[in-house]
Amino acid sequence: RLYLLCFISWFSLKMYVDELKKAKELVSALITEKNAYPIMIRLAWHDAGTYNKDISEWPKCGGANGSIRFEPEIKHGANAGLINAVNMLEEVHKQVPEVTYADLYQLASAVSVELAGGPKIPMKYGRVDTEECAPEGNLPDGNPPFHTGCKSAEQHLRTIFHRMGLSNQDIVALSGAHTVGRAFKDRSGEGKESTKYTANL
């Protein structure tokens, strides 16, 4: 009986790994075709960015759990425009339904970084999906007044990201990720409706 259980576990793991490999191929093709590197990185971060290190109970602690695909979370102000990425990956998920949304979103981000010329990120998979949405306000505001009550942008960022267990150095590295891609007014609330770089998109 123990041998049978071990075999079933091994077989299930192998099937999941095979599905992940297929998902990576599908995601790579999709990202390349749609030039979707930046939005996939943003989707994965915003799904994970709900994490609170001070809450031990799952899924209340937030994190990379796939909840961003549900309302009201996908409609949070910080998630403007991310429904486009969710919809693109839904087509992939239909072909690899065994892969959790939580894993698929993080895989898409890692693939995006790699395809954009960045490093190959060593990933661990096995995330579990939840249908419990995180409350609004887990991600930082782009402009004051800040919902945290902080007077300065620096303190606001520290308040948000220290809650996740990130250091000041981590915050600087994370902020640098915003240099990937372009700004769209309907997503960030910043900039012009159209520029010479965004007019044809």
Side-chain angles (χ1 to χ4, degrees):
R1 178 175 289 176
L2 179 60
Y3 174 79
L4 180 60
L5 288 173
C6 289
F7 176 77
I8 290 170
S9 297
W10 172 85
F11 188 71
S12 297
L13 178 62
K14 183 181 183 312
M15 284 180 58
Y16 196 73
V17 169
D18 290 344
E19 286 281 279
L20 282 168
K21 288 178 180 175
K22 183 178 177 183
K24 185 173 182 180
E25 291 174 7
L26 293 167
V27 165
S28 297
L30 172 74
I31 290 170
T32 302
E33 177 192 348
K34 303 283 187 183
N35 194 26
Y37 313 94
I39 198 169
M40 294 302 172
I41 295 170
R42 184 169 168 246
L43 174 68
W45 165 242
H46 283 225
D47 189 42
T50 58
Y51 178 67
N52 188 331
K53 66 178 175 53
D54 298 321
I55 300 175
S56 58
E57 183 185 348
W58 189 90
K60 293 190 185 312
C61 59
N65 56 26
S67 64
I68 196 168
R69 70 192 191 279
F70 294 114
E71 293 184 16
E73 190 173 340
I74 192 62
K75 291 193 171 180
H76 290 175
N79 295 333
L82 289 178
I83 189 65
N84 299 318
V86 168
N87 289 341
M88 280 189 264
L89 289 176
E90 184 60 36
E91 295 307 308
V92 172
H93 191 265
K94 287 177 183 174
Q95 298 177 66
V96 285
E98 298 303 317
V99 175
T100 64
Y101 286 97
D103 272 350
L104 184 61
Y105 296 162
Q106 300 308 312
L107 179 146
S109 178
V111 168
S112 293
V113 170
E114 187 178 349
L115 291 177
K120 181 173 184 174
I121 300 171
M123 298 291 289
K124 292 185 179 179
Y125 295 100
R127 294 169 188 83
V128 179
D129 288 335
T130 183
E131 295 182 10
E132 185 173 316
C133 290
E136 179 126 33
N138 284 307
L139 294 164
D141 300 315
N143 292 304
F146 302 116
H147 71 272
T148 55
C150 296
K151 300 299 182 192
S152 70
E154 303 87 49
Q155 191 54 48
H156 176 60
L157 290 175
R158 288 186 178 107
T159 299
I160 294 289
F161 294 124
H162 287 179
R163 182 202 79 228
M164 300 177 199
L166 300 178
S167 68
N168 291 338
Q169 184 176 3
D170 295 331
I171 295 170
V172 172
L174 177 62
S175 298
H178 288 84
T179 62
V180 178
R182 301 173 176 140
F184 293 84
K185 189 168 179 62
D186 64 334
R187 297 175 196 171
S188 67
E190 301 294 331
K192 299 177 180 179
E193 292 291 342
S194 179
T195 70
K196 66 181 181 179
Y197 302 106
T198 61
N200 297 323
L201 296 178

